[in-house]
Amino acid sequence: MSFVVRTLFILSLSLVGLYSAASPFPTEEDAKSWFKQYTQSLTDSQTYQLLKQFPKGGDLHHHLSGSAYGKWWYELATHQALNGGYQYFTKINHSELTRRRLRLRQLRK
């Protein structure tokens, strides 16, 4: 069973446990407590594997379009001295990246 399938299975069992408690619905505190415990049990590698399976790598919704240049975010993400020592990962379509580089080279000529 893959890591993601196991994780989702454990999540579903946990939610069943929350729903079967005395209250018919989990409280916000129950959810926060469970999420904090769950996220603290994951290694960086497991967190990356889990988020990698999500659409857009887990970035489902935000209101940042137009508020900052992509160049700023790239600089922040790639310079650990600026971002508090964090290391970020992303999927790259190498064939698309290669096509873009070739187009830039052609435009510069």
Side-chain angles (χ1 to χ4, degrees), residues 12-44:
S12 65
L13 287 178
S14 298
L15 290 175
V16 167
L18 287 174
Y19 279 107
S20 65
S23 171
F25 300 102
T27 65
E28 184 177 343
E29 285 304 314
D30 292 335
K32 283 181 182 179
S33 174
W34 176 87
F35 186 74
K36 183 177 182 180
Q37 180 183 4
Y38 176 74
T39 55
Q40 289 176 346
S41 71
L42 295 176
T43 65
D44 289 345

Side-chain angles (χ1 to χ4, degrees), residues 91-102:
K91 289 183 188 180
I92 296 175
N93 181 340
H94 292 288
S95 59
E96 179 62 25
L97 187 60
T98 302
R99 281 192 290 262
R100 288 181 186 176
R101 285 182 181 157
L102 288 174

Side-chain angles (χ1 to χ4, degrees), residues 7 18 29 55 89 106 108:
T7 300
L18 287 174
E29 285 304 314
F89 302 92
Q106 291 171 349
R108 290 180 184 159

Side-chain angles (χ1 to χ4, degrees), residues 75-76 79-85:
E75 186 175 323
L76 182 62
H79 291 89
Q80 290 181 338
L82 297 175
N83 69 26

